[in-house]
Amino acid sequence: MDAKAKDEPVRSRITNMRSMDPAGRRAAVCAAASLDPQDDAILAGADVLPLTLADGMIENVIGKFELPLGVATNFVVNGKEYLVPMAVEEPSVVAAASYMAKLVAQDGGFHARADRPVMRAQIQVLGLTDPFGARQRLFENRDALIAKANSRDKVLIGLGGGCHDIEVHIFEETPVGAMLVLHILVDVRDAMGANTVNTMAEMLAPDVERITGGQVRLRILSNLADLRIVRARAELDPATLATASVSGPDMCRGIVEACALAIVDPYRAATHNKGIMNGIDPVVVATGNDWRAIEAGAHSYAARGGRYTSLTRWEMSGSGKLVGSIELPMALGLVGGATKTHPAARAALRLLKVQSAGELAEVVAAVGLAQNMAAIRALATEGIQRGHMALHARNIAIAAGASGGNIDRVARALVASGDVSADNARRILASD
Ligand SMILES: CC(C)(COP(=O)([O-])OP(=O)([O-])OC[C@H]1O[C@@H](n2cnc3c(N)ncnc32)[C@H](O)[C@@H]1OP(=O)([O-])[O-])[C@@H](O)C(=O)NCCC(=O)NCCSC(=O)C[C@@](C)(O)CC(=O)[O-]
Ligand SMILES: NC(=O)C1=CN([C@@H]2O[C@H](COP(=O)(O)OP(=O)(O)OC[C@H]3O[C@@H](n4cnc5c(N)ncnc54)[C@H](OP(=O)(O)O)[C@@H]3O)[C@@H](O)[C@H]2O)C=CC1
């Protein structure tokens, strides 16, 4: 992509995308985001990851595993338009995100803000008889520890990042006695940061043993990245949400009531948050980021008060608007991990046109909020099956043996019959 194309704004609205074929959609997406033909070819996915490159990424490589790559349309975050790449196997996720983004865009789009990208690493110290004295000694050596942590990664320091503080946590009673845990707090700039902070933690271990008199065991980041929170908000006029069969106020009430159950009941919160991750994980995967880290961060944050709860809130404002908000850790990178090595992840980031890991986090949070809104909007009114199963019908048709043009025909027949099942798909195919 040339420099000019990189700065061109994206047009996130692509009319009638669903009725195009994949090549037509790709051409429309590349035109809307000013991507060049090379990116068109990479996003098509044919032999994008050479086996030799894959072999360099993980161990015992025998091949590659493919997922569909879709693009969610209509996203407006902080006044900027985005086309959002989503790698996911589940039908209706991309459609649902696009739909809710379209509604939110009518009312001003998403507002999002990512914290400074600070990660924490933990250094576990055992064998202490005076953990509180050791704690004081660590604070007395705070500046020297920070200087040592910052002595190696010149690139990060040059970019304005690096270790800037420490915390000391004491657990007086554990199954193996008292324990002290030193946290180092590191601004990792545009990296996810695991390797960066792990290197620092391992480097500090001998100093920590000398200062405390204990034995260091674990030296590893925490995926509860609670200093690297992203927040997003959407405000909708009830009229925007009205459908032919449900009024705007009824829709808003349904959404607020659905969220209330997820706030108080962990059984519902688990599914509610899964719906949020339906939106978040596919963008994390498409951009080559570590989705296990994002999942671990999200769920540990949802349980931080001692009770697992919803990552979103839906409420009515004093002026009668539906207000949705989301808050969760978001340790994403534009450098490091697979983000730089996987060609499709690079193309996905060029499509997003994000300038920093924080901007990527803001878009991802908006997608999570949109996905949650889609699910509870459907659940609170017509139920999940109508919209979801209509799109899942294509999967059922394929599993039952349909191929080519038959897939859409069998899927349509399944939906029309009101019985979207493998058995019915086989009956429809057999009656041909
Ligand atoms: C599926 C919809 C969007 C249909 O909804 P609809 O009312 O049939 O949609 P529509 O045909 O009126 O189209 C509205 C917009 O949706 C998008 N859209 C619509 N269809 C397509 C398509 N084929 N391809 C691409 N985009 C599509 C598209 O943006 C379109 O606008 P347009 O561009 O046409 O002006 C709706 O029913 C919905 O949002 N349902 C919720 C689906 C959902 O949440 N799926 C996640 C899987 S279920 C799950 O795992 C999580 C869960 C539910 O358990 C979480 C929880 O419990 O909280
Ligand atoms: N629990 C977990 O979540 C764990 C995850 N991981 C894995 O760690 C990987 C991510 O680690 P990460 O530290 O991000 O990866 P890298 O170490 O690959 O990348 C970070 C490094 O990139 C360099 N760099 C260049 N430009 C920038 C920039 N703009 N901002 C920040 N750094 C820059 C810096 O170092 P330099 O000076 O060298 O150029 C920095 O230290 C993922 O693959 C993840 O799966 C690993 C262990 C545990």
Side-chain angles (χ1 to χ4, degrees):
M1 202 194 327
D2 63 35
K4 187 169 165 289
K6 196 166 165 247
D7 295 336
E8 279 303 306
V10 171
R11 282 177 289 106
S12 69
R13 176 97 190 111
I14 298 178
T15 319
N16 225 6
M17 187 151 162
R18 74 173 90 172
S19 58
M20 301 173 189
D21 66 9
R25 290 187 196 119
R26 230 172 30 249
V29 162
C30 288
S34 318
L35 295 184
D36 57 29
Q38 206 182 340
D39 278 327
D40 185 312
I42 295 172
L43 292 169
D47 225 11
V48 158
L49 183 66
L51 208 51
T52 45
L53 185 49
D55 195 32
M57 289 173 72
I58 64 162
E59 310 73 40
N60 290 354
V61 167
I62 58 164
K64 295 174 283 179
F65 183 90
E66 296 184 329
L67 277 175
L69 178 68
V71 170
T73 53
N74 306 323
F75 272 88
V76 179
V77 184
N78 297 332
K80 179 173 167 184
E81 296 191 35
Y82 297 90
L83 285 166
V84 183
M86 302 179 83
V88 65
E89 87 297 347
E90 189 171 7
S92 84
V93 164
V94 177
S98 304
Y99 190 5
M100 296 306 110
K102 181 174 141 185
L103 296 184
V104 174
Q106 286 170 32
D107 287 352
F110 296 90
H111 307 274
R113 180 116 192 125
D115 283 350
R116 189 178 161 195
V118 175
M119 298 295 286
R120 28 169 114 234
Q122 298 185 290
I123 303 174
Q124 179 198 31
V125 189
L126 300 175
L128 293 170
T129 52
D130 64 338
F132 289 92
R135 179 173 188 268
Q136 298 306 328
R137 290 194 292 281
L138 284 167
F139 280 124
E140 286 159 27
N141 285 278
R142 174 186 173 278
D143 294 348
L145 286 166
I146 291 173
K148 174 93 178 263
N150 287 336
S151 62
R152 221 175 85 172
D153 202 336
K154 300 290 177 218
V155 172
L156 188 65
I157 308 303
L159 291 165
C163 180
H164 63 89
D165 210 349
I166 62 169
E167 288 178 5
V168 182
H169 300 230
I170 292 175
F171 299 96
E172 288 185 77
E173 284 178 33
T174 80
V176 294
M179 197 180 287
L180 178 151
V181 185
L182 171 68
H183 289 202
I184 56 170
L185 311 185
V186 184
D187 182 328
V188 296
R189 299 281 87 195
D190 285 324
M192 180 268 184
N195 291 329
T196 310
V197 302
N198 293 345
T199 307
M200 287 183 183
E202 292 195 0
M203 203 166 67
L204 290 187
D207 300 77
V208 172
E209 289 196 335
R210 183 177 44 77
I211 293 165
T212 60
Q215 292 98 49
V216 166
R217 291 277 188 268
L218 308 188
R219 293 137 294 160
I220 189 80
L221 92 157
S222 170
N223 287 113
L224 177 49
D226 59 355
L227 299 173
R228 198 178 184 179
I229 299 298
V230 63
R231 298 175 177 82
R233 173 177 62 87
E235 291 199 13
L236 290 116
D237 196 302
T240 309
L241 287 153
T243 64
S245 51
V246 185
S247 73
D250 280 353
M251 188 72 87
C252 294
R253 193 173 319 114
I255 290 173
V256 171
E257 288 170 359
C259 187
L261 179 57
I263 291 169
V264 298
D265 178 6
Y267 286 99
R268 173 57 203 154
T271 322
H272 180 96
N273 289 344
K274 186 272 182 186
I276 294 169
M277 303 316 284
N278 271 347
I280 289 178
D281 287 340
V283 194
V284 176
V285 172
T287 56
N289 272 286
D290 182 339
W291 70 92
R292 289 86 54 210
I294 298 301
E295 283 281 342
H299 297 295
S300 53
Y301 195 69
R304 70 195 181 287
R307 184 186 183 87
Y308 187 83
T309 187
S310 168
L311 289 165
T312 59
R313 290 290 184 273
W314 290 93
E315 332 161 277
M316 296 306 294
S317 73
S319 59
K321 295 250 177 86
L322 176 69
V323 184
S325 53
I326 185 168
E327 178 179 309
L328 76 168
M330 197 56 72
L332 294 173
L334 300 184
V335 298
T339 56
K340 276 271 195 243
T341 43
H342 199 303
R346 301 308 303 159
L349 285 168
R350 286 193 289 277
L351 170 59
L352 274 162
K353 296 198 183 194
V354 288
Q355 305 302 322
S356 66
E359 186 183 350
L360 176 60
E362 288 166 356
V363 175
V364 170
V367 179
L369 185 59
Q371 204 73 48
N372 176 235
M373 178 180 159
I376 57 177
R377 176 185 167 278
L379 290 170
T381 53
E382 62 179 4
I384 199 68
Q385 294 301 67
R386 200 270 310 160
H388 177 68
M389 285 310 263
L391 296 172
H392 185 52
R394 289 158 51 86
N395 267 342
I396 302 269
I398 294 168
S403 60
N406 247 355
I407 300 172
D408 277 338
R409 193 186 56 74
V410 174
R412 272 196 302 273
L414 283 170
V415 173
S417 73
D419 176 8
V420 184
S421 68
D423 200 34
N424 195 23
R426 276 190 292 273
R427 264 198 304 276
I428 294 167
L429 276 168
S431 70
D432 282 351

